[in-house]
Amino acid sequence: MKSFTYERARSTAHAAAAASQPGVKIIAGGTNLLDLMKLQIETPSTLVDINHLPLDKVEETTDGGLRIGALVRNSDLAADLRVRQHYGVLSRALLAGASAQLRNKATTAGNLLQRTRCYYFYDISKPCNKRVPGSGCSALAGFNRIHAILGGSDDCIATHPSDMAVAMRALDAEVETIDREGKTRRIPIAEFHRLPGNTPEVDSTLTPGEIVTAVTLPPPPPGTQVYRKVRDRASYAFAPVSVAAIIDNVRGRVRSARLAFGGLAPKPWRVAAAEQILANTAADARAIDATADAALKGARGFGANDFKIPLTRRTLHGVLGEIART
């Protein structure tokens, strides 16, 4: 790890102003950033600690939703009674992530902003456009078992690793930010993460000096909420495929559906056409197959990750079957 200076942020404005300077990184839980610093993938000259800012509360909004501060720890959010009762898909997604020790440190904003776990991104001896723009993408012709089958480009097929973000995508969350001039904005989570295109080094739509202060959830949607994560081992593993589903099922027929997928793309993946196909059906095998077809439209495997296409179909069948039995 290269040497760096450390300071504490005095306010959100101070943190945003600092973050706009070259070589400065914000640190909260540090569960991803410190690993990247040890490998010299990130080499900040200054770390600005925001842990003492008042951004660690979960509060009810006037419209019946929740406002989650950027510094709320994943374990605290998953255990919050309001989240467990009304946003079960989010609680389950959080508990499926990493390990208990990491969830005790990881923050809401940090989870949204974590970097990909692509093998080649973590190996500084290999070309990686996300790490060194213009150097190439080793995963395209390399070992790409965990990589994207949707939303990638010729420059990058890395996936976003967050479980929490997949659930928040199904819930239509909004990300609140503040910039170095004190201006705030709310970004729909559907627009927060970027697809790689020809600039895979840019992961989000945040501007320089803009930091996340909170995530807002709208009032809980009707229906049964399920999060299913398929992984290689029972804990501390990222998902080849995950599904966040919110299905409003009345007397055996689906009135509305929300489906977000993880492990398939560089951002949480949600396809409105797939949800529309499932709505107003009995969610039988034929309807689920048609829904999967729409969700996977344009999917492309790169060899080692071809299995994700049939696995996504089977996982969707399993999730909707589970909901039908409730």
Side-chain angles (χ1 to χ4, degrees):
M1 184 183 290
K2 293 189 175 181
S3 61
F4 57 89
T5 59
Y6 168 90
E7 61 181 84
R8 287 184 178 179
R10 298 184 298 273
S11 64
T12 53
H14 173 222
S20 67
Q21 302 301 313
V24 176
K25 288 289 182 181
I26 300 294
I27 187 167
T31 58
N32 186 205
L33 177 60
L34 293 178
D35 284 343
L36 296 175
M37 290 173 64
K38 291 173 185 176
L39 294 169
Q40 296 191 15
I41 296 166
E42 294 282 6
T43 55
S45 57
T46 302
L47 289 183
V48 176
D49 188 343
I50 63 171
N51 280 295
H52 297 273
L53 300 182
L55 302 173
D56 59 349
K57 299 292 190 296
V58 181
E59 302 169 307
E60 297 176 16
T61 59
T62 55
D63 65 353
L66 286 181
R67 185 176 185 271
I68 304 161
L71 293 177
V72 174
R73 265 42 186 185
N74 286 180
S75 54
D76 292 335
L77 184 58
D80 187 283
L81 184 60
R82 294 161 295 186
V83 175
R84 292 170 59 195
Q85 289 181 336
H86 303 298
Y87 302 95
V89 67
L90 176 58
S91 181
R92 294 185 184 99
L94 285 162
L95 292 173
S99 66
Q101 294 91 337
L102 286 172
R103 291 193 296 270
N104 285 341
K105 291 293 292 180
T107 63
T108 299
N111 194 304
L112 287 176
L113 292 167
Q114 63 184 298
R115 307 300 304 276
T116 183
R117 263 54 178 191
C118 170
Y119 315 119
Y120 301 104
F121 176 74
Y122 272 78
D123 185 347
I124 61 174
S125 70
K126 299 293 191 296
C128 171
N129 286 321
K130 188 176 283 292
R131 180 169 29 81
V132 183
S135 62
C137 176
S138 299
L140 288 169
F143 185 57
N144 45 46
R145 184 176 183 276
I146 66 171
H147 289 75
I149 59 172
L150 291 161
S153 71
D154 290 339
D155 288 322
C156 183
I157 55 170
T159 56
H160 192 272
S162 173
D163 292 288
M164 182 194 78
V166 179
M168 287 186 169
R169 180 69 183 89
L171 290 166
D172 288 327
E174 288 188 327
V175 182
E176 298 181 20
T177 69
I178 187 170
D179 67 14
R180 56 190 173 186
E181 297 177 352
K183 295 179 181 177
T184 62
R185 65 169 175 153
R186 294 165 67 103
I187 308 169
I189 196 166
E191 301 171 9
F192 183 76
H193 297 104
R194 294 180 69 258
L195 295 179
N198 59 7
T199 55
E201 71 277 11
V202 184
D203 291 336
S204 75
T205 55
L206 292 178
T207 59
E210 186 176 22
I211 64 171
V212 175
T213 54
V215 175
T216 302
L217 302 180
T224 302
Q225 302 182 21
V226 171
Y227 185 77
R228 180 170 294 191
K229 179 178 182 177
V230 180
R231 48 188 165 182
D232 296 324
R233 55 180 183 267
S235 67
Y236 202 58
F238 296 100
V241 174
S242 65
V243 180
I246 305 174
I247 307 297
D248 187 13
N249 194 343
V250 178
R251 292 189 294 275
R253 292 192 69 83
V254 176
R255 290 200 301 192
S256 64
R258 301 185 185 197
L259 299 168
F261 297 86
L264 303 184
K267 61 187 291 185
W269 198 254
R270 188 173 168 189
V271 179
E275 298 172 351
Q276 292 165 3
I277 288 171
L278 189 61
N280 300 312
T281 73
D284 55 16
R286 185 175 180 179
I288 297 172
D289 284 338
T291 301
D293 287 342
L296 291 166
K297 185 177 181 180
R300 173 192 174 194
F302 293 86
N305 67 349
D306 293 352
F307 74 97
K308 287 191 176 188
I309 296 175
L311 181 58
T312 301
R313 294 180 182 278
R314 291 197 297 269
T315 304
L316 187 58
H317 274 272
V319 166
L320 295 178
E322 177 183 343
I323 290 174
R325 293 189 295 272
T326 60

